[in-house]
Amino acid sequence: MKKNLSSYSDNELVEMLRKGKPDSDWAFTEIYDRYALRVNAYCRTILQNRESAEDVFQETFIRFYQNVQSDFRNGTLVGFLITIARNLCLNYKRNTKANLPIEDFDFPISENTDIEDKELTDLIMMSFELLEPDTKEILIMRVFNYLSYNEISDILGITAARARYLVFNAKDKIKNTLLPYMKEIGYVSSEKFEKDYK
């Protein structure tokens, strides 16, 4: 029977991973349940292909399990997982060098999201295509993976201030791209849009 570890901190779960079975299995399951959606969303958004992203997603957790005991020291668990996923995504893109069609682009949306938000999310995701790959990645980390600026700075090897600037810049580009369309179709007031995506 699965042990309920939902109240355990990430560091407590890592300590359990280091104890061996059955504690390590329970801890790994809790970590997977806690962060799988965020890691999967990152992979799917970066690779823009469901099958490839699923492969990288699964490999991320395999690598995590193999390396957490020796490589995880400081920082956050989600940051560690995204770092692994990022490296695997970069390797995949370097090895395939394929341009994937826009139809393969996917980002999971909650079933609780209303129609307007889904339409807005579709517009935002399409506007991502206009961003440089590095700019796109940092915005994904912040907006969709909810990483702090410190976590982003650790993953990318930049300062937190630089991470904050890059995220602001990326959001500004998306806002400037979308605002004319939003006003034209009367989809949402420009004030609300600017507030939500500033």
Side-chain angles (χ1 to χ4, degrees):
M1 189 171 105
K2 182 186 171 185
K3 192 173 180 180
N4 186 356
L5 304 176
S6 59
S7 63
Y8 281 50
S9 71
D10 287 351
N11 287 336
E12 288 172 324
L13 292 173
V14 170
E15 287 307 311
M16 285 187 70
L17 275 173
R18 292 172 174 160
K19 289 181 179 178
K21 297 180 182 294
D23 285 354
S24 60
D25 290 342
W26 290 330
F28 179 80
T29 300
E30 176 61 28
I31 291 167
Y32 185 91
D33 290 346
R34 198 173 286 187
Y35 295 118
L37 284 176
R38 288 166 72 177
V39 174
N40 193 300
Y42 174 85
C43 294
R44 290 169 77 171
T45 309
I46 292 295
L47 295 180
Q48 303 180 13
N49 178 279
R50 289 186 187 188
E51 289 182 13
S52 304
E54 186 64 28
D55 291 343
V56 169
F57 164 71
Q58 296 296 339
E59 182 66 20
T60 296
F61 277 92
I62 292 170
R63 297 282 183 93
F64 165 77
Y65 190 79
Q66 293 171 340
N67 299 310
V68 66
Q69 296 190 35
S70 58
D71 293 346
F72 181 72
R73 293 286 181 267
N74 297 312
T76 62
L77 208 49
V78 67
F80 185 63
L81 283 162
I82 294 294
T83 298
I84 296 170
R86 179 177 188 260
N87 290 335
L88 290 171
C89 285
L90 290 174
N91 288 342
Y92 174 84
K93 290 173 89 170
R94 187 167 39 246
N95 291 338
T96 58
K97 293 182 180 176
N99 291 320
L100 299 170
I102 189 71
E103 297 80 41
D104 288 334
F105 187 73
D106 187 42
F107 184 80
I109 300 173
S110 166
E111 291 179 2
N112 298 325
T113 306
D114 63 33
I115 297 299
E116 280 196 357
D117 284 342
K118 286 180 181 177
E119 290 175 0
L120 180 56
T121 300
D122 288 344
L123 285 170
I124 291 169
M125 298 310 290
M126 289 194 329
S127 73
F128 268 37
E129 295 306 305
L130 302 175
L131 297 175
E132 294 294 319
D134 292 346
T135 306
K136 184 189 304 183
E137 180 186 27
I138 200 166
L139 191 59
I140 289 164
M141 288 181 183
R142 179 64 180 166
V143 175
F144 297 127
N145 293 117
Y146 312 108
L147 298 184
S148 69
Y149 293 112
N150 286 332
E151 289 170 330
I152 293 170
S153 71
D154 288 343
I155 292 169
L156 299 181
I158 58 178
T159 66
R162 176 72 177 158
R164 185 183 297 273
Y165 167 77
L166 291 172
V167 168
F168 173 82
N169 215 25
K171 285 183 176 181
D172 198 49
K173 285 180 180 177
I174 284 188
K175 183 178 71 176
N176 290 334
T177 300
L178 292 180
L179 199 51
Y181 298 104
M182 306 302 288
K183 287 179 178 177
E184 182 180 326
I185 63 176
Y187 176 77
V188 69
S189 71
S190 59
E191 291 80 9
K192 181 182 186 302
F193 182 74
E194 296 213 29
K195 176 181 176 291
D196 291 345
Y197 295 93
K198 67 182 178 182

